[in-house]
Amino acid sequence: MDQLYIEQMRNWACILTLGLSLAAAARAEITAFTGARLFDGTGAVIENGTFIVRDGKIAAAGPSGKVKPPRGARVVDLRGKTVTPGFINAHAHVSDVEGQGTGATEDKVRAQLGIFARYGITTILSLGGEEPAAFHVRDAQETVSLDRARIFVGGPVMVGKTAEEGRQMVDKVADLHPDYIKIRVDDNLGTAKKITPDVYRAVIDETHRRGLRLFVHYFYLDDAKDLLRSGADMLAHSVRDKDVDDEFINLVKQHGVPYCPTLTREISTFVYEDVPAFFKDPFFLREADPKVVAQLKEPARQQAMHGSKSAQGYKAALPTAERNLKKLADAGVTIVMGTDSGATSARFKGYFEHLEMQMMSDSGLTPKQILIASTGGAARALKLANLGTLEPGRWADFNVFDRSPLDDIHHTESLSAVYIAGNEVKR
Ligand SMILES: [Zn+2]
């Protein structure tokens, strides 16, 4: 190697070092968000709060009298606004479950996560059926430049006819490094064969042996009880066949298992027998695919839904789900917000989370209960590190509202800005 070449290399190294330190300085930019009504995700409300964002994370948060913008910080005045942590959807999909091919490439996954983000849903747990692309997207989100929703994945949904087959399937899925494993214990209103207890017990056991959690799709109260006794880690839908009883309430509390109502999943099964009221909601229309909306308004399709046994079965089950949600919330069961959106194109990603919160309110939950279930409560129950609250050290994922959802949950539709890792999401 000649001297000139070495000299050149040194110069380049110098320029590179300078560039890196400039980049570090830009990253270290500090922003203070001042004067908002702060809901911190744990349940605490500060009427006039300030929080500081540094390197994509919350550096401090508290009453404006105590937390002051550091010298040189960029200041964003949020007087009159309400801030909550970004919403977490505990049951969504970016999958290809209906052959839509929507989740097959990283670009398509990111496009879907962009829709969630523009609605203030800053984290989703995709409960199964993801393509490898979704895993790659998940692996790339621990970064200060993030501006789309975070995703966690379950991988292929577990099936198996025997206990041994079940264990083998779990091992195959676990080797892909999912965040949890998903199983369906359901006969689809008596039209399919349900996985047997010896199989799901083997699956749960093997899942735990691999250090993962088992999230379960189910419908019936008796199945839910046995799944809890067998060690399931999240009930990913409502009990819909019967009213819950004390035995169930005790089991779900004893095991500390979160309960995810997915009321909008039920809505999606029957509501398009007519034109639903939300088709006129501007907040819905800003992202809804006009082609899908047009399809759902076709008279033939409406009539088919009206005459469908399963549609009418799930419609009849919805009031039971709503009563159960209220009873469980009153009993102190951990509720986590989820929609099953994305599993079909009729479950509108992003908008359905807001509709879900409205339905939780119609079921009798308070705005604070609903907001906890959609932020810090969900993060704690689902073990999502560094998410869900405005506490120091957490990612600065948060929503800004013109009107306060603490006063009326419908005000989540007054969403005026969304930040992920401190970056404002373009909407
Ligand atoms: Zn699902």
Side-chain angles (χ1 to χ4, degrees), residues 3 58 60 71 79 91 98 137 202 239 241 257 260 308 314-315 343 346 352 378 389 393:
Q3 195 57 40
I58 305 288
R71 206 196 314 232
R79 274 175 297 178
H91 186 165
E98 287 209 324
V137 170
V239 170
D241 63 321
V257 167
C260 185
S308 153
Y314 289 123
K315 185 181 188 176
F352 261 34
T389 75

Side-chain angles (χ1 to χ4, degrees), residues 43-75:
V45 178
I46 300 168
E47 287 306 329
N48 175 0
T50 288
F51 58 102
I52 314 294
V53 174
R54 184 190 181 124
D55 290 337
K57 296 204 168 149
I58 305 288
S64 294
K66 284 191 180 153
V67 176
K68 297 287 181 195
R71 206 196 314 232
R74 189 168 71 93
V75 176

Side-chain angles (χ1 to χ4, degrees), residues 91-93 127-128 182 184 217 236-237 265 339-341 343 347:
H91 186 165
H93 291 276
L127 254 55
K182 162 86 175 288
R184 283 198 182 88
H217 165 113
H237 292 292
R265 182 237 168 249
T339 56
D340 213 355
S341 53
R347 294 181 201 156

Side-chain angles (χ1 to χ4, degrees), residues 389-412:
T389 75
L390 301 177
E391 294 166 299
R394 306 276 175 131
W395 282 111
D397 298 357
F398 59 93
N399 293 330
V400 182
F401 301 95
D402 289 337
R403 302 170 78 198
S404 186
L406 287 158
D407 300 333
D408 180 342
I409 206 68
H410 290 82
H411 293 171
T412 62

Side-chain angles (χ1 to χ4, degrees), residues 87-94 112-113 116 121-126 149-153 180 341 349 353:
F87 295 140
I88 296 167
N89 183 347
H91 186 165
H93 291 276
V94 293
Q112 294 185 55
L113 295 174
F116 282 112
I121 320 305
T122 57
T123 296
I124 66 152
L125 276 66
S126 181
R150 299 172 195 276
I151 179 174
F152 296 96
V153 291
Y180 34 78
S341 53
K349 289 182 278 287
E353 287 70 8

Side-chain angles (χ1 to χ4, degrees), residues 126-201:
S126 181
L127 254 55
E130 303 84 15
E131 308 276 342
F135 284 72
H136 300 151
V137 170
R138 176 206 58 184
D139 292 340
Q141 61 197 10
E142 288 285 309
T143 161
V144 296
S145 61
L146 196 73
D147 62 357
R148 47 84 178 162
R150 299 172 195 276
I151 179 174
F152 296 96
V153 291
V157 174
M158 255 297 311
V159 286
K161 288 199 182 71
T162 66
E164 192 43 43
E165 253 178 55
R167 285 186 190 274
Q168 284 169 5
M169 267 297 294
V170 169
D171 283 333
K172 244 192 226 166
V173 179
D175 287 346
L176 304 172
H177 304 294
D179 297 286
Y180 34 78
I181 284 182
K182 162 86 175 288
I183 193 173
R184 283 198 182 88
V185 179
D186 198 1
D187 64 2
N188 301 335
L189 297 177
T191 61
K193 209 166 144 48
K194 200 183 340 183
I195 189 169
T196 56
D198 62 312
V199 177
Y200 65 67
R201 281 183 203 133

Side-chain angles (χ1 to χ4, degrees), residues 94 101-112 131-134 136-137:
V94 293
T102 48
T105 68
E106 290 184 37
D107 279 348
K108 283 180 177 171
V109 172
R110 278 193 291 267
Q112 294 185 55
E131 308 276 342
H136 300 151
V137 170

